[in-house]
Amino acid sequence: MAKGPDAFRTISEAATELGVAQHVLRFWETKFAFVRPMKRAGGRRFYRPRDIAILANVHRLLHREGYTIKGVQKLHRELGLKSLTSAGWPIAEPPIPAGVAEPRRAVGSPGSEVQGGLEAALAALEAAKARLDGLLGAA
């Protein structure tokens, strides 16, 4: 029987739901002051739904958006905890320049969104270089 959406999660359930190892959650507790699961007698951790939402955003920032731990700490200082609990974290995909095809990305690879943005930027720079080379050749 599955738990309801408002039920507390153990560290193993939270780790499985987020797709990380348990030791990663414990490590994040040491690096992010805002990651504080409820602890029962004996130190057993229980994660509230809000904790899971925060951790999901931390995971996304670190593993898909390419942020460092210090970068996430800075965002927390600047934007506050409320922004970490919402699914609409105010970080957008890197823009793809006009005229550049959407880059192919490896599904599920760490940092694929960041890599895709870099590939698009490289393609735009190569196109600009080709135009400049053409102008220099015509002169």
Side-chain angles (χ1 to χ4, degrees):
M1 182 158 109
K3 287 187 175 182
D6 295 331
F8 285 30
R9 307 280 191 262
T10 63
I11 192 168
S12 63
E13 292 168 335
T16 300
E17 189 172 326
L18 295 167
V20 298
Q22 294 178 28
H23 70 271
V24 172
L25 296 179
R26 289 187 209 96
F27 175 72
W28 286 350
E29 281 183 45
T30 66
K31 294 299 179 184
F32 305 116
F34 53 85
V35 176
R36 290 288 171 242
M38 187 178 76
K39 289 187 182 177
R40 292 286 196 187
R44 187 168 175 167
R45 293 165 173 82
F46 287 96
Y47 293 85
R48 304 170 203 81
R50 181 175 183 222
D51 296 328
I52 300 292
I54 291 169
L55 290 167
N57 278 313
V58 167
H59 183 266
R60 181 177 59 81
L61 289 168
L62 292 172
H63 295 279
R64 289 194 311 207
E65 301 286 340
Y67 278 78
T68 62
I69 289 174
K70 288 188 184 240
V72 174
Q73 290 168 339
K74 182 179 178 187
L75 286 172
H76 172 250
R77 280 193 309 274
E78 292 174 356
L79 300 175
L81 183 60
K82 190 169 188 171
S83 61
L84 282 171
T85 59
S86 67
W89 182 272
I91 295 172
E93 285 271 345
I96 298 174
V100 175
E102 176 76 30
R104 291 184 7 189
R105 299 177 183 169
V107 177
S109 66
S112 61
E113 285 84 4
V114 173
Q115 181 178 348
L118 292 173
E119 289 171 355
L122 177 61
L125 288 171
E126 288 171 344
K129 182 184 181 304
R131 286 192 301 269
L132 286 172
D133 289 343
L135 290 172
L136 288 173

